[in-house]
């Protein structure tokens, strides 16, 4: 075989292999947008929301009165939640950044339904990982049960963990409730509502 | 052809083949792609966790380019005691999670492990996941052998939509 032929074969071999490797194996990722809005609507008979007494992520006891005069975006979850809660809180953080200065009118409240694991310290580290505006709230089982009832929200502690019971999951309602400065329910968003979309919707409500 | 030239040729081809394999592996890594037989895994990522976290989740995309079904039978990572595939799903108004024993990979199908759907669930986290770092995850298939992928750790609130700039976007 002549040297020249050899190089031609070599170049062909390398280029074909690389082309096949790059060309055939690339596929597209479609991102989930899955816009979903809660069909919940306020009505005279079913009131959503109400008074509560809880403990914030700085250890201070707070009530609904402490947040009066501001819009509230309320979400129930737990810090060991690996999927839905970070998606929701990530979305809320982006939404706040999109709205910008005006978002100071909104207090996002992340209420933990996992009273056993979510201590004040845990909650503090958790919410500050997302956005400085987000307030984490916890409380006694009675306090948490009362506030979830007021919001027509539900949660179940599952016994699906290991033998120590450390990794159990918690099933919970995943809506974000937008409440007015007067404490009245305005609307609800699905946890995976795109942040741009939520920002647009909330901006229309803000003064 | 002389025997000497033949020998040289054979060894040259071996070197080229090895270099090409290395290049391909490199190209895959650069594109965040990993291969096991006809199975390709793309863009594995996870979210940063807080210091006391016991659990974490990772997301990735799997394509079965083969003509026969395959399944993920086991996962392993040095970051956790237990690694499984879990699925988030809505049941009425409730968001729930359940373990998925084996994940079926139909031929020609793309399976996405993404927020709100399937995810790799790490239980008994040995250390917190820090933003910007990576960790290995070994994925074992029923037919296609196994592959180790490198999972990138994104911010706690990452939603998986913005971090795929190196992917091949045709749409």
């Amino acid at each position: 075989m002549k040297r020249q032929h050899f190089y031609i074969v070599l170049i062909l071999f390398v280029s074909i292999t690389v082309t096949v490797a790059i060309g055939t194996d690339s596929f597209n990722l479609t991102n989930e947008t899955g816009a979903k809005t809660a069909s919940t609507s306020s009505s005279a008979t079913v009131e959503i929301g109400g008074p509560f007494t809880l403990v914030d992520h700085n250890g201070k006891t707070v009530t609904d009165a402490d947040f009066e005069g501001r819009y509230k975006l309320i979400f129930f979850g737990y810090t060991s939640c690996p999927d839905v809660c970070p998606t929701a809180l990530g979305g809320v953080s982006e939404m706040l950044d999109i709205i910008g200065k005006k978002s100071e009118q909104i207090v996002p409240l992340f209420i933990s339904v996992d009273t056993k694991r979510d201590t004040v310290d845990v909650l503090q580290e958790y919410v500050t990982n997302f956005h400085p505006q987000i307030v984490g709230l916890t409380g006694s089982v009675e306090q948490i049960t009362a506030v979830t009832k007021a919001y027509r929200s539900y949660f179940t502690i599952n016994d699906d963990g290991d033998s120590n019971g450390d990794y159990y999951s918690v099933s919970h309602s995943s809506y974000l409730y937008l409440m007015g400065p007067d404490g009245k329910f305005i609307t609800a968003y699905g946890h995976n509502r795109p942040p741009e979309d939520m920002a647009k919707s909330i901006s229309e409500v803000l003064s | 052809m002389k025997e000497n030239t033949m020998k040289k040729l054979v060894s040259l081809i071996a070197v080229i083949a090895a270099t090409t394999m290395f290049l391909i592996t490199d190209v895959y890594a650069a594109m965040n792609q990993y291969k096991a037989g006809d199975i390709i895994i793309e863009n594995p990522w996870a979210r940063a966790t807080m210091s006391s976290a016991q659990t974490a989740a990772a997301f990735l995309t799997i394509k079965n380019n083969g003509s026969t079904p395959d399944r993920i039978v086991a996962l392993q990572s040095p970051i956790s005691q237990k690694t499984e595939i879990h699925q988030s799903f809505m049941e009425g108004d409730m968001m729930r999670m359940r373990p998925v024993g084996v994940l079926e990979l139909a031929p020609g199908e793309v399976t996405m492990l993404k927020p709100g759907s399937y995810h790799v669930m790490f239980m008994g986290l040995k250390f917190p996941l820090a933003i910007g770092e990576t960790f290995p995850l070994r994925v074992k298939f029923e037919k296609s052998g196994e592959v180790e992928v490198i999972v990138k750790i994104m911010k706690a609130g990452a939603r998986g939509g913005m971090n795929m700039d190196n992917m091949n976007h045709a749409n």
Side-chain angles (χ1 to χ4, degrees):
Chain A
M1 194 189 281
K2 278 183 189 167
R3 184 161 283 242
Q4 217 177 337
H5 287 160
F6 170 72
Y7 281 123
I8 291 167
V9 171
L10 185 151
I11 289 162
L12 272 174
F13 174 71
V14 172
S15 53
I16 288 169
T17 326
V18 172
T19 311
V20 167
I22 297 171
T24 57
D25 297 335
S26 300
F27 52 93
N28 304 310
L29 291 171
T30 30
N31 301 324
E32 177 190 51
T33 41
K36 189 174 181 299
T37 319
S39 55
T40 330
S41 61
S42 64
S43 75
T45 48
V46 184
E47 284 285 318
I48 291 175
F52 60 77
T53 303
L54 296 163
V55 179
D56 75 8
H57 67 254
N58 293 312
K60 188 177 151 238
T61 298
V62 292
T63 71
D64 51 299
D66 289 297
F67 304 102
E68 241 177 55
R70 281 184 288 175
Y71 290 90
K72 290 153 286 277
L73 191 62
I74 299 179
F75 179 66
F76 297 90
Y78 64 112
T79 71
S80 311
C81 165
D83 179 8
V84 170
C85 307
T87 302
L89 289 176
V92 168
S93 307
E94 276 181 45
M95 175 275 292
L96 294 171
D97 291 342
I98 293 168
I99 294 180
K101 182 83 180 155
K102 259 189 163 182
S103 78
E104 284 168 13
Q105 297 174 51
I106 316 161
V107 203
L109 300 177
F110 176 76
I111 304 177
S112 169
V113 293
D114 186 3
T115 52
K116 187 181 155 200
R117 287 180 298 195
D118 290 346
T119 59
V120 166
D121 288 346
V122 168
L123 210 51
Q124 182 174 52
E125 192 193 340
Y126 188 72
V127 293
T128 49
N129 269 347
F130 290 95
H131 200 281
Q133 244 162 286
I134 301 173
V135 174
L137 296 173
T138 183
S140 66
V141 175
E142 293 73 28
Q143 288 172 328
I144 296 300
T145 307
V147 70
T148 51
K149 267 190 185 160
Y151 282 86
R152 309 274 180 261
S153 179
Y154 310 92
F155 70 98
T156 315
I157 310 281
N158 302 308
D159 55 358
D160 54 1
D162 66 324
S163 51
N164 301 322
D166 285 337
Y167 322 131
Y168 62 85
S169 69
V170 182
S171 302
H172 58 95
S173 311
S174 58
Y175 291 125
L176 295 140
Y177 304 85
L178 181 65
M179 311 297 290
D182 54 359
K184 290 257 180 346
F185 173 81
I186 298 172
T187 189
Y189 304 99
H191 77 275
N192 56 357
R193 182 78 171 249
E196 303 77 21
D197 205 16
M198 200 173 12
K200 191 168 173 271
S201 166
I202 293 179
S203 293
E204 285 165 9
V205 174
L206 297 180
S207 45
Chain B
M1 202 184 290
K2 280 181 197 166
E3 200 187 325
N4 199 18
T5 324
M6 193 66 200
K7 265 186 185 168
K8 269 187 186 166
L9 189 65
V10 169
S11 55
L12 246 168
I13 288 173
V15 168
I16 292 155
T19 316
T20 314
M21 282 315 289
F22 178 78
L23 271 172
I24 291 169
T25 316
D26 223 42
V27 166
Y28 275 116
M31 292 181 73
N32 243 339
Q33 284 188 349
Y34 304 88
K35 223 171 133 65
D38 287 328
I39 308 281
I40 292 157
I41 295 184
E42 268 200 351
N43 195 42
W45 67 280
R47 291 171 172 137
T49 68
M50 52 179 181
S51 57
S52 62
Q54 288 293 310
T55 57
F59 308 93
L60 42 88
T61 303
I62 311 159
K63 189 178 185 189
N64 181 359
N65 275 338
S67 51
T68 51
D70 204 344
R71 0 154 76 171
I72 292 180
V73 288
L75 295 130
Q76 204 188 1
S77 176
I79 68 160
S80 60
Q81 283 163 5
K82 243 170 48 167
T83 308
E84 298 174 348
I85 290 182
H86 284 205
Q87 184 187 21
S88 301
F89 64 103
M90 287 293 281
E91 193 175 78
D93 273 357
M94 296 272 265
M95 202 70 209
R96 305 198 52 171
M97 267 198 322
R98 66 179 156 217
V100 178
V102 285
L103 187 66
E104 305 287 343
L105 306 166
E109 293 271 303
V110 176
T111 308
M112 293 190 69
L113 277 69
K114 61 182 182 182
S117 175
Y118 294 110
H119 55 270
V120 179
M121 178 84 178
F122 302 98
M123 286 160 290
L125 214 54
K126 292 175 186 165
F127 45 82
L129 304 186
I131 187 166
E133 290 183 1
T134 60
F135 65 87
L137 167 68
R138 190 157 274 279
V139 187
K140 205 171 171 181
F141 302 94
E142 192 178 64
K143 293 172 191 153
S144 306
E146 53 183 279
V147 64
E148 186 175 275
V149 306
I150 301 299
V151 184
K152 289 184 177 174
I153 305 169
M154 307 295 184
K155 65 177 180 180
R159 292 164 57 86
M162 285 68 59
N163 307 307
M164 297 173 182
D165 300 337
N166 56 347
M167 292 292 108
N168 180 27
H169 288 286
N171 51 345

